[in-house]
Amino acid sequence: MSKIKPSKGAPHARILGVGGYRPTRVVPNEVILETIDSSDEWIRSRSGIASRHWANEEETVTAMSVEASGKAIANAGIAPEQIGAVVVSTVSHFKQTPAVATEIADKVGAGRPAAFDISAGCAGFGYGLTLARGMIVDGSAQYVLVIGVERLSDLTDLEDRATAFLFGDGAGAVVVGPAEEPAIGPTVWGSEGDKSETIKQTVAWTDYRDGTVDKFPAITQEGQAVFRWAVFEMAKVAQQALDAAGITADDLDVFIPHQANMRIIDSMVKTLKLPDHVTVARDVETTGNTSAASIPLAMERLLATGKAKSGDTALVIGFGAGLVYAATVVTLP
């Protein structure tokens, strides 16, 4: 018989607050066209993107995260020192160690929480949210700060016609805490490593260090392959998340997919047969693809503009490099 005492966590978990930060510099498509042979019409028709935000020297991964986190903590109505864990999803923090989560935890005044980074690409926010839910229910933390943050402008090849227009910078954060009723559903997540070559870093850091290549590493992708996978396979995952939560598309109020491409979003809406009453996040038009930050940024904007409201039922799904994915149903804060 085990001598270990059972955990004393909360019965359920929910998102209590959300915050976002977008860099001050707005970059329209015209700037992108200075380095690639394309047109504003082509970029808009293929991606739905009209502009994106790029960070300046002061808007570091840490600085943007701290700004977004401060808003999320205030929105949640808790004190920073109540945070028991900080989870940061990013692929654009360029120090292998220490985890940027530790620096962010200190700067937001969280005291001495558990703090770590995860690398799950555009599905990173969903991974972090799932880990946070587990910590709350397990009892290892009362409140968890989950951050998705990227400075993808540092990893963008401005001469790559397939990707130069896609990426933006920003940070989104949520506070997850205890709840008496289910407010974060089961996560449907996974990976398809046999497709890892479809979205990847162009070369290893060691190749650049050793002089094997003279061009700084960037993110590249096989656009058509990614599009087909996202449209056909991720709609299935989204439906599985609805089924796992015990609801149908008619029960949804909001749909917040990863902001990768407007055509992907519209195709998923059609495949899922979402009713007209469901509000769909289309933040990609003015924010671009911010990878791990895209879902919390889109969530924050929908709530701030009144297009979504507290208590709404939302389906969120992230998908990207790996290839990895994560989908769940949540109650909005």
Side-chain angles (χ1 to χ4, degrees):
M1 181 175 179
S2 174
K3 297 180 180 179
I4 300 173
K5 294 181 180 179
S7 60
K8 296 181 179 180
H12 304 286
R14 67 169 296 151
I15 300 174
L16 299 175
V18 60
Y21 180 82
R22 292 172 172 82
T24 55
R25 182 188 177 192
V26 176
V27 180
N29 288 339
E30 286 72 20
V31 173
I32 307 299
L33 296 175
E34 295 174 2
T35 53
I36 61 171
D37 180 16
S38 188
S39 68
D40 178 63
E41 180 183 5
W42 187 90
I43 293 173
R44 289 174 185 257
S45 66
R46 294 303 180 96
S47 68
I49 298 173
S51 62
R52 71 286 293 148
H53 295 257
W54 282 355
N56 60 33
E57 290 185 2
E58 287 75 34
E59 291 167 322
T60 63
V61 165
T62 298
M64 291 190 294
S65 297
V66 170
E67 288 291 330
S69 299
K71 295 175 183 177
I73 294 167
N75 189 231
I78 68 167
E81 54 267 25
Q82 291 179 272
I83 295 170
V86 177
V87 183
V88 178
S89 178
T90 185
V91 298
S92 47
H93 173 58
F94 294 143
K95 289 183 180 179
Q96 196 71 36
T97 193
V100 72
T102 59
E103 182 180 2
I104 295 167
D106 177 64
K107 289 186 178 297
V108 300
R112 299 174 63 185
F116 57 95
D117 300 347
I118 58 175
S119 176
C122 305
F125 175 75
Y127 276 49
L129 188 64
T130 303
L131 294 173
R133 175 178 177 267
M135 289 184 231
I136 302 302
V137 174
D138 177 66
S140 58
Q142 185 177 13
Y143 298 99
V144 180
L145 177 63
V146 180
I147 302 164
V149 56
E150 302 291 3
R151 269 184 57 122
L152 294 181
S153 57
D154 291 332
L155 287 168
T156 299
D157 180 354
L158 294 178
E159 296 178 350
D160 181 356
R161 189 173 183 272
T163 61
F165 58 91
L166 287 177
F167 302 121
D169 303 336
V174 298
V175 172
V176 181
E180 292 300 318
E181 297 179 343
I184 301 176
T187 299
V188 177
W189 57 352
S191 65
E192 297 185 36
D194 59 316
K195 300 179 180 65
S196 61
E197 291 294 303
T198 56
I199 306 175
K200 63 180 181 179
Q201 185 171 302
T202 50
V203 295
W205 298 113
T206 48
D207 291 339
Y208 182 72
R209 179 199 66 189
D210 297 340
T212 306
V213 296
D214 57 9
K215 199 168 187 178
F216 193 76
I219 296 174
T220 188
Q221 68 176 31
E222 298 174 15
Q224 287 301 315
V226 173
F227 180 86
R228 288 192 297 269
W229 176 76
V231 168
F232 296 109
E233 298 303 322
M234 291 305 97
K236 297 176 185 177
V237 171
Q239 182 61 54
Q240 290 169 13
L242 291 176
D243 296 341
I247 66 171
T248 68
D250 290 334
D251 298 315
L252 281 179
D253 300 303
V254 185
F255 179 44
I256 311 178
H258 165 49
Q259 302 294 293
N261 180 302
M262 195 75 79
R263 292 170 64 205
I264 292 175
I265 294 170
D266 291 340
S267 295
M268 291 182 71
V269 169
K270 184 177 180 180
T271 302
L272 288 167
K273 298 179 181 179
L274 296 185
D276 291 340
H277 74 262
V278 176
T279 297
V280 180
R282 292 187 171 89
D283 195 44
V284 66
E285 180 179 6
T286 56
T287 306
N289 180 344
T290 56
S291 189
S294 78
I295 290 175
L297 277 174
M299 182 185 295
E300 187 264 350
R301 176 163 280 175
L302 288 175
L303 289 166
T305 58
K307 294 181 179 180
K309 63 183 185 299
S310 175
D312 278 353
T313 299
L315 168 63
V316 299
I317 178 170
F319 45 86
L323 293 171
V324 295
Y325 54 87
T328 187
V329 175
V330 304
T331 300
L332 295 183

